[in-house]
Amino acid sequence: MPNSDEMFGVVTEHNGGNHVRVRCEDGKERMGRIPGRMKYRTWINEGDVVLVEPWDWQDEKANIEWRYTGQDADQLRREGHIQ
């Protein structure tokens, strides 16, 4: 579950390398950065539900903190946390 500075998002586009476009729950589109610890261990595809932490100094960018599996995303939808 997100902390106070994190939010849910859905990956809308993979821009190559470690960058993805994410539609966040606050309605904004942000450029998401996949950190090195996740880059080769966790594959992130379009349509995946992720946990993002927007940057304090650039609101249009965010770090990807976690990728939810399909089952986890369905559970979040059933509980009403995401659309």
Side-chain angles (χ1 to χ4, degrees):
M1 297 306 295
N3 294 333
S4 61
D5 55 344
E6 298 173 336
M7 65 181 74
F8 293 113
V10 177
V11 176
T12 58
E13 180 182 1
H14 200 285
N15 293 336
N18 61 345
H19 296 304
V20 293
R21 178 68 59 186
V22 180
R23 186 180 67 245
C24 297
E25 66 180 334
D26 63 356
K28 294 183 180 180
E29 286 272 333
R30 291 184 171 90
M31 178 64 66
R33 187 185 71 83
I34 303 168
R37 63 183 158 80
M38 290 180 67
K39 189 172 180 180
Y40 297 112
R41 293 185 175 103
T42 305
W43 294 105
I44 297 178
N45 299 311
E46 292 179 17
D48 285 347
V49 176
V50 294
L51 188 65
V52 299
E53 181 179 357
W55 291 4
D56 293 334
W57 61 95
Q58 255 181 321
D59 193 46
E60 68 272 1
K61 295 184 181 179
N63 287 330
I64 306 292
E65 296 296 327
W66 188 259
R67 179 189 60 91
Y68 290 96
T69 64
Q71 291 177 344
D72 292 339
D74 291 340
Q75 179 72 27
L76 290 170
R77 285 185 183 97
R78 279 194 300 275
E79 292 175 359
H81 297 292
I82 58 175
Q83 302 296 334

